[in-house]
């Protein structure tokens, strides 16, 4: 995919604090320092301001920016949320494969009868052959 896509992960909780961490996977992302809980910006792992407590629940969300996938393989990463009691929930963020490309530096190659060598550059994010 495209560069700089924002992905929002959200849920409902009644814990007085949530901690977000990254698990296994090959998708290169980082977690933001803050998430939103009950409409309030909250530091990752800190107690939530205005926590309703007990069994009252609030909505939470975290926004993660995912860079462009320039490979031809899909990539993923676990996002783990842990509540105050140590209970965890894991979601897997998967990014689809990027488009394949093949770029050649010359648009035409002229060969002479003497068989002179001609060179050109090729860039690609996948394997290819010339035949």
């Amino acid at each position: 995919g495209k560069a700089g896509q924002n992905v929002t992960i959200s849920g409902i909780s009644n814990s007085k604090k949530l901690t977000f961490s990254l698990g296994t996977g090959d998708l290169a992302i980082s977690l933001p320092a803050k998430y939103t809980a009950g409409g309030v910006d909250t530091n990752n792992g800190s107690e939530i301001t205005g926590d309703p407590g007990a069994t009252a629940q609030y909505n939470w969300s975290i926004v993660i920016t995912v860079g462009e996938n320039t490979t031809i393989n899909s990539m993923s990463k676990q996002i783990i949320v842990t509540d105050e009691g140590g209970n965890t929930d894991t979601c897997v963020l998967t990014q689809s494969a990027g488009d394949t490309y093949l770029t050649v530096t010359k648009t035409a190659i002229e060969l002479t009868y003497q068989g002179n060598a001609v060179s050109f550059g090729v860039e690609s994010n996948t394997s290819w052959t010339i035949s």
Side-chain angles (χ1 to χ4, degrees):
K2 298 180 176 143
Q5 291 179 313
N6 286 334
V7 176
T8 302
I9 300 171
S10 59
I12 299 172
S13 181
N14 68 339
S15 178
K16 69 165 109 173
K17 74 175 185 175
L18 298 175
T19 304
F20 295 87
S21 60
L22 297 175
T24 60
D26 55 0
L27 181 59
I29 58 172
S30 58
L31 293 173
K34 296 182 182 267
Y35 68 100
T36 303
V40 177
D41 279 347
T42 305
N43 289 325
N44 187 9
S46 296
E47 287 197 13
I48 298 163
T49 303
D51 170 35
T55 59
Q57 295 181 331
Y58 56 87
N59 294 315
W60 60 263
S61 64
I62 188 167
V63 178
I64 299 168
T65 301
V66 180
E68 181 178 11
N69 185 353
T70 58
T71 73
I72 59 166
N73 301 309
S74 64
M75 295 186 283
S76 63
K77 186 72 149 191
Q78 291 178 327
I79 312 288
I80 303 165
V81 60
T82 306
D83 69 10
E84 182 187 29
N87 301 300
T88 62
D89 199 2
T90 302
C91 78
V92 178
L93 180 59
T94 301
Q95 183 182 40
S96 62
D99 294 330
T100 57
Y101 67 85
L102 176 67
T103 305
V104 181
T105 58
K106 292 185 179 182
T107 57
I109 297 174
E110 293 183 26
L111 301 174
T112 64
Y113 71 91
Q114 292 99 349
N116 295 340
V118 176
S119 63
F120 58 93
V122 177
E123 290 184 17
S124 181
N125 63 350
T126 187
S127 60
W128 50 272
T129 58
I130 296 177
S131 51

